[in-house]
mmCIF file of all heavy atoms in Angstrom:
data_model
loop_
_atom_site.group_PDB
_atom_site.id
_atom_site.type_symbol
_atom_site.label_atom_id
_atom_site.label_comp_id
_atom_site.label_asym_id
_atom_site.label_seq_id
_atom_site.Cartn_x
_atom_site.Cartn_y
_atom_site.Cartn_z
ATOM 1 N N GLU A 5 0.792 9.831 2.769
ATOM 2 C CA GLU A 5 1.429 11.137 2.927
ATOM 3 C C GLU A 5 2.518 11.394 1.899
ATOM 4 O O GLU A 5 2.875 12.537 1.644
ATOM 5 C CB GLU A 5 1.999 11.263 4.343
ATOM 6 C CG GLU A 5 0.918 11.265 5.407
ATOM 7 C CD GLU A 5 1.484 11.401 6.807
ATOM 8 O OE1 GLU A 5 2.675 11.752 6.953
ATOM 9 O OE2 GLU A 5 0.720 11.155 7.750
ATOM 10 N N THR A 10 6.062 3.165 0.395
ATOM 11 C CA THR A 10 4.993 2.230 0.717
ATOM 12 C C THR A 10 5.007 1.959 2.217
ATOM 13 O O THR A 10 5.995 2.235 2.899
ATOM 14 C CB THR A 10 5.164 0.903 -0.039
ATOM 15 O OG1 THR A 10 6.418 0.315 0.325
ATOM 16 C CG2 THR A 10 5.098 1.104 -1.550
ATOM 17 N N ASP A 14 11.223 -4.476 5.861
ATOM 18 C CA ASP A 14 12.019 -5.698 5.759
ATOM 19 C C ASP A 14 12.782 -5.844 7.062
ATOM 20 O O ASP A 14 13.345 -4.874 7.563
ATOM 21 C CB ASP A 14 13.028 -5.632 4.606
ATOM 22 C CG ASP A 14 12.354 -5.633 3.254
ATOM 23 O OD1 ASP A 14 11.377 -6.376 3.077
ATOM 24 O OD2 ASP A 14 12.807 -4.885 2.370
ATOM 25 N N LEU A 15 12.802 -7.041 7.617
ATOM 26 C CA LEU A 15 13.575 -7.327 8.820
ATOM 27 C C LEU A 15 14.849 -8.033 8.375
ATOM 28 O O LEU A 15 14.793 -9.127 7.801
ATOM 29 C CB LEU A 15 12.781 -8.199 9.793
ATOM 30 C CG LEU A 15 13.524 -8.627 11.059
ATOM 31 C CD1 LEU A 15 13.933 -7.411 11.895
ATOM 32 C CD2 LEU A 15 12.647 -9.567 11.882
ATOM 33 N N PHE A 17 18.828 -9.433 9.302
ATOM 34 C CA PHE A 17 19.715 -9.895 10.358
ATOM 35 C C PHE A 17 21.028 -10.289 9.708
ATOM 36 O O PHE A 17 21.070 -11.208 8.882
ATOM 37 C CB PHE A 17 19.093 -11.087 11.104
ATOM 38 C CG PHE A 17 19.963 -11.632 12.189
ATOM 39 C CD1 PHE A 17 20.155 -10.915 13.365
ATOM 40 C CD2 PHE A 17 20.598 -12.838 12.037
ATOM 41 C CE1 PHE A 17 20.962 -11.410 14.371
ATOM 42 C CE2 PHE A 17 21.420 -13.348 13.039
ATOM 43 C CZ PHE A 17 21.594 -12.628 14.212
ATOM 44 N N VAL A 22 15.088 -11.675 6.891
ATOM 45 C CA VAL A 22 14.422 -12.680 7.712
ATOM 46 C C VAL A 22 12.945 -12.752 7.335
ATOM 47 O O VAL A 22 12.371 -13.825 7.201
ATOM 48 C CB VAL A 22 14.583 -12.367 9.213
ATOM 49 C CG1 VAL A 22 13.811 -13.343 10.070
ATOM 50 C CG2 VAL A 22 16.054 -12.346 9.595
ATOM 51 N N THR A 24 9.503 -10.041 5.639
ATOM 52 C CA THR A 24 9.040 -8.780 5.084
ATOM 53 C C THR A 24 7.566 -8.646 5.423
ATOM 54 O O THR A 24 6.889 -9.640 5.655
ATOM 55 C CB THR A 24 9.286 -8.723 3.559
ATOM 56 O OG1 THR A 24 8.987 -7.410 3.092
ATOM 57 C CG2 THR A 24 8.455 -9.725 2.807
ATOM 58 N N GLY A 25 7.082 -7.457 5.478
ATOM 59 C CA GLY A 25 5.676 -7.270 5.810
ATOM 60 C C GLY A 25 5.233 -5.854 5.532
ATOM 61 O O GLY A 25 6.013 -5.005 5.111
ATOM 62 N N HIS A 30 -6.497 -3.108 0.639
ATOM 63 C CA HIS A 30 -7.673 -3.913 0.943
ATOM 64 C C HIS A 30 -8.912 -3.439 0.187
ATOM 65 O O HIS A 30 -9.958 -4.063 0.258
ATOM 66 C CB HIS A 30 -7.955 -3.921 2.455
ATOM 67 C CG HIS A 30 -8.150 -2.551 3.018
ATOM 68 N ND1 HIS A 30 -7.088 -1.775 3.406
ATOM 69 C CD2 HIS A 30 -9.263 -1.820 3.204
ATOM 70 C CE1 HIS A 30 -7.547 -0.611 3.838
ATOM 71 N NE2 HIS A 30 -8.852 -0.615 3.725
ATOM 72 N N ASP A 31 -8.792 -2.336 -0.543
ATOM 73 C CA ASP A 31 -9.909 -1.778 -1.293
ATOM 74 C C ASP A 31 -9.907 -2.322 -2.723
ATOM 75 O O ASP A 31 -8.926 -2.149 -3.461
ATOM 76 C CB ASP A 31 -9.804 -0.247 -1.312
ATOM 77 C CG ASP A 31 -10.856 0.388 -2.182
ATOM 78 O OD1 ASP A 31 -12.046 0.300 -1.824
ATOM 79 O OD2 ASP A 31 -10.492 0.950 -3.239
ATOM 80 N N HIS A 33 -11.421 -1.466 -5.512
ATOM 81 C CA HIS A 33 -11.225 -0.485 -6.586
ATOM 82 C C HIS A 33 -9.801 0.083 -6.573
ATOM 83 O O HIS A 33 -9.246 0.387 -7.630
ATOM 84 C CB HIS A 33 -12.275 0.621 -6.502
ATOM 85 C CG HIS A 33 -13.669 0.096 -6.692
ATOM 86 N ND1 HIS A 33 -14.124 -0.377 -7.898
ATOM 87 C CD2 HIS A 33 -14.680 -0.085 -5.819
ATOM 88 C CE1 HIS A 33 -15.367 -0.796 -7.767
ATOM 89 N NE2 HIS A 33 -15.720 -0.639 -6.505
ATOM 90 N N GLY A 34 -9.208 0.183 -5.403
ATOM 91 C CA GLY A 34 -7.819 0.624 -5.298
ATOM 92 C C GLY A 34 -6.864 -0.363 -5.950
ATOM 93 O O GLY A 34 -5.901 0.018 -6.614
ATOM 94 N N GLU A 37 -7.261 -0.084 -9.731
ATOM 95 C CA GLU A 37 -6.610 1.139 -10.213
ATOM 96 C C GLU A 37 -5.095 0.945 -10.330
ATOM 97 O O GLU A 37 -4.481 1.319 -11.319
ATOM 98 C CB GLU A 37 -6.931 2.289 -9.253
ATOM 99 C CG GLU A 37 -6.387 3.621 -9.688
ATOM 100 C CD GLU A 37 -6.781 4.710 -8.708
ATOM 101 O OE1 GLU A 37 -7.979 4.800 -8.367
ATOM 102 O OE2 GLU A 37 -5.881 5.468 -8.290
ATOM 103 N N ILE A 49 -5.980 -12.741 -12.153
ATOM 104 C CA ILE A 49 -6.033 -13.106 -10.727
ATOM 105 C C ILE A 49 -7.450 -12.911 -10.177
ATOM 106 O O ILE A 49 -7.647 -12.521 -9.030
ATOM 107 C CB ILE A 49 -4.996 -12.319 -9.894
ATOM 108 C CG1 ILE A 49 -5.193 -10.804 -10.028
ATOM 109 C CG2 ILE A 49 -3.585 -12.712 -10.274
ATOM 110 C CD1 ILE A 49 -4.370 -9.997 -9.050
ATOM 111 N N GLU A 50 -8.427 -13.214 -11.002
ATOM 112 C CA GLU A 50 -9.831 -12.999 -10.649
ATOM 113 C C GLU A 50 -10.236 -13.684 -9.345
ATOM 114 O O GLU A 50 -10.920 -13.101 -8.501
ATOM 115 C CB GLU A 50 -10.723 -13.480 -11.791
ATOM 116 C CG GLU A 50 -12.185 -13.182 -11.601
ATOM 117 C CD GLU A 50 -13.011 -13.580 -12.807
ATOM 118 O OE1 GLU A 50 -12.476 -14.200 -13.741
ATOM 119 O OE2 GLU A 50 -14.205 -13.268 -12.786
ATOM 120 N N MET A 54 -11.569 -11.716 -5.788
ATOM 121 C CA MET A 54 -12.942 -11.910 -5.338
ATOM 122 C C MET A 54 -13.124 -11.545 -3.856
ATOM 123 O O MET A 54 -14.106 -10.909 -3.482
ATOM 124 C CB MET A 54 -13.371 -13.360 -5.567
ATOM 125 C CG MET A 54 -14.837 -13.606 -5.290
ATOM 126 S SD MET A 54 -15.401 -15.247 -5.789
ATOM 127 C CE MET A 54 -14.249 -16.316 -4.965
ATOM 128 N N ILE A 55 -12.177 -11.912 -3.010
ATOM 129 C CA ILE A 55 -12.316 -11.619 -1.581
ATOM 130 C C ILE A 55 -12.321 -10.108 -1.319
ATOM 131 O O ILE A 55 -13.011 -9.622 -0.442
ATOM 132 C CB ILE A 55 -11.224 -12.323 -0.740
ATOM 133 C CG1 ILE A 55 -11.568 -12.261 0.738
ATOM 134 C CG2 ILE A 55 -9.857 -11.733 -1.010
ATOM 135 C CD1 ILE A 55 -10.756 -13.186 1.595
ATOM 136 N N LYS A 57 -13.403 -7.879 -3.532
ATOM 137 C CA LYS A 57 -14.644 -7.388 -4.130
ATOM 138 C C LYS A 57 -15.790 -7.450 -3.124
ATOM 139 O O LYS A 57 -16.661 -6.584 -3.085
ATOM 140 C CB LYS A 57 -14.980 -8.222 -5.362
ATOM 141 C CG LYS A 57 -16.150 -7.707 -6.155
ATOM 142 C CD LYS A 57 -16.312 -8.515 -7.429
ATOM 143 C CE LYS A 57 -17.399 -7.968 -8.299
ATOM 144 N NZ LYS A 57 -17.516 -8.706 -9.565
ATOM 145 N N TYR A 58 -15.784 -8.477 -2.272
ATOM 146 C CA TYR A 58 -16.882 -8.665 -1.326
ATOM 147 C C TYR A 58 -16.561 -8.188 0.089
ATOM 148 O O TYR A 58 -17.359 -8.360 0.988
ATOM 149 C CB TYR A 58 -17.313 -10.127 -1.332
ATOM 150 C CG TYR A 58 -17.872 -10.515 -2.674
ATOM 151 C CD1 TYR A 58 -17.148 -11.312 -3.540
ATOM 152 C CD2 TYR A 58 -19.109 -10.042 -3.087
ATOM 153 C CE1 TYR A 58 -17.641 -11.642 -4.794
ATOM 154 C CE2 TYR A 58 -19.610 -10.351 -4.333
ATOM 155 C CZ TYR A 58 -18.879 -11.151 -5.179
ATOM 156 O OH TYR A 58 -19.373 -11.468 -6.420
ATOM 157 N N MET A 60 -12.785 -7.027 2.183
ATOM 158 C CA MET A 60 -11.614 -7.442 2.965
ATOM 159 C C MET A 60 -11.300 -6.317 3.951
ATOM 160 O O MET A 60 -11.193 -5.159 3.557
ATOM 161 C CB MET A 60 -10.426 -7.678 2.038
ATOM 162 C CG MET A 60 -9.109 -7.901 2.760
ATOM 163 S SD MET A 60 -9.090 -9.336 3.836
ATOM 164 C CE MET A 60 -8.755 -10.629 2.688
ATOM 165 N N GLY A 64 -2.374 -6.465 7.336
ATOM 166 C CA GLY A 64 -0.952 -6.397 7.042
ATOM 167 C C GLY A 64 -0.389 -7.789 6.946
ATOM 168 O O GLY A 64 -1.000 -8.757 7.391
#
Side-chain angles (χ1 to χ4, degrees):
E5 295 180 14
T10 60
D14 292 320
L15 177 62
F17 179 72
V22 176
T24 188
H30 58 275
D31 175 67
H33 297 291
E37 184 178 310
I49 58 170
E50 186 176 7
M54 187 171 53
I55 193 166
K57 187 174 184 177
Y58 296 106
M60 171 61 82

